[in-house]
Amino acid sequence: MRIWVARPEPGAARTGERLAALGHRPLVAPVLAVRPTGAALPHGPFDGLILTSANALDAVLATTDAGALRGIPVFAVGARTAALAEARLGPVAVGAGDAVALAALVRGRLAAGARLLHLAGAERKAEPAAALTSAGYAIATHVAYAAEAVPHLPDAVFSALAATPPGLDAALHYSRRSARVAHRLSGAAGHGGAFGALRHYCLSDDVAAALDQAGVAAHFVAGRPREDDLLAGLC
C-alpha cells in the first residue's frame, strides 16, 4: 500500500523505513513540526523522572547536559521512549505503553510524597500527572517542546489525494492532534472526501476518537498503543 505517515519527525522517517521494509510505499509528510521551547529545567532535587514522550527528552537533551538528569530514577511510558532514555541516562523502568500504566508503575516504585519531574509537550493529556497528584506525589511539569501544525497540506499529499485514482491507500495516525490536523488540512485543501476514503490506521482508541468525531471511520485500531501492534494490522 501507499501509506501516508503524518506523525512528526524524527519518528516519521523511522516509521517510513519500517513500512518500506514490510513492502509498503511510505509517503512521509508530517503535519506537525516539533519545536523545543529551550526553557530551563525546574530546580530539583527530584525523586523520579517521568517520560511520556521521546520528543520531550530529545528537546531537553538538545539544550541541557544529560548529567543534570543522571542519577534520578527514570520512568518511561513505553519501549521506544525507554530505549532513548537508557542510551542517554542509564537504567529505565518501562511502562506498558499508556499513561495510566505509567502512573501505576511509579506508585509501585516510589512512596507517596516523592517529587517528580515530568518532561512533556505543550499539548499533553492529564495523565499520568493527575493520578499521581491525587495519590500524593508532587509533580513539576517541564514543557520541553511544542508541536506546531504546518500551514497547509504537504504538496506530496495534496498531489496524491488529487490524483485519479487517488495516489494514497492509507494513513497512519499516532496522536489525536496529528489526526485532527491531517483531517483539517485535507479538508481545507479541497480533498476531505479523498482523505475520508483512505484506510485509517490508529495507534489507540483515543486517536481513533479524533477521527470519529470528524466523521471519519478508523479501519484499524491497535490493541496496545505500540507501533509494532499498529504495523501488524496493516492490510
Side-chain angles (χ1 to χ4, degrees):
M1 290 189 293
R2 181 67 161 156
I3 302 174
W4 178 15
V5 182
R7 70 183 304 198
E9 295 290 10
R14 195 168 57 243
T15 298
E17 291 172 357
R18 294 195 65 184
L19 288 172
L22 291 170
H24 298 289
R25 295 180 296 132
L27 174 53
V28 177
V31 297
L32 299 174
V34 173
R35 313 287 189 203
T37 64
L41 288 172
H43 293 295
F46 296 102
D47 302 302
L49 176 64
I50 301 173
L51 301 175
T52 51
S53 165
N55 286 330
L57 183 58
D58 272 335
V60 168
L61 294 182
T63 57
T64 304
D65 185 346
L69 298 175
R70 288 199 184 100
I72 306 173
V74 180
F75 300 88
V77 69
R80 167 61 193 159
T81 304
L84 175 64
E86 283 190 339
R88 304 294 296 275
L89 302 178
V92 176
V94 188
D98 62 68
V100 173
L102 180 59
L105 176 65
V106 173
R107 292 197 304 269
R109 301 288 185 90
L110 298 176
R115 188 164 185 243
L116 308 173
L117 174 61
H118 179 200
L119 304 186
E123 296 279 342
R124 61 187 182 278
K125 299 175 186 176
E127 297 296 350
L132 290 170
T133 298
S134 296
Y137 296 84
I139 310 293
T141 300
H142 173 70
V143 178
Y145 73 94
E148 302 172 359
V150 300
H152 54 75
L153 190 68
D155 290 344
V157 180
F158 182 99
S159 298
L161 292 177
T164 305
L168 279 174
D169 301 299
L172 294 184
H173 302 288
Y174 283 71
S175 72
R176 287 178 67 98
R177 184 142 184 259
S178 64
R180 284 173 173 163
V181 171
H183 173 262
R184 176 174 61 79
L185 294 178
S186 297
H191 297 308
F195 175 86
L198 298 176
R199 292 184 177 185
H200 296 278
Y201 294 82
C202 299
L203 188 66
S204 68
D205 288 328
D206 184 60
V207 177
L211 292 177
D212 183 66
Q213 289 165 7
V216 177
H219 178 75
F220 175 82
V221 180
R224 298 176 300 173
R226 299 179 183 179
E227 186 172 66
D228 286 348
D229 291 50
L230 178 62
L231 299 187
L234 291 175
C235 61

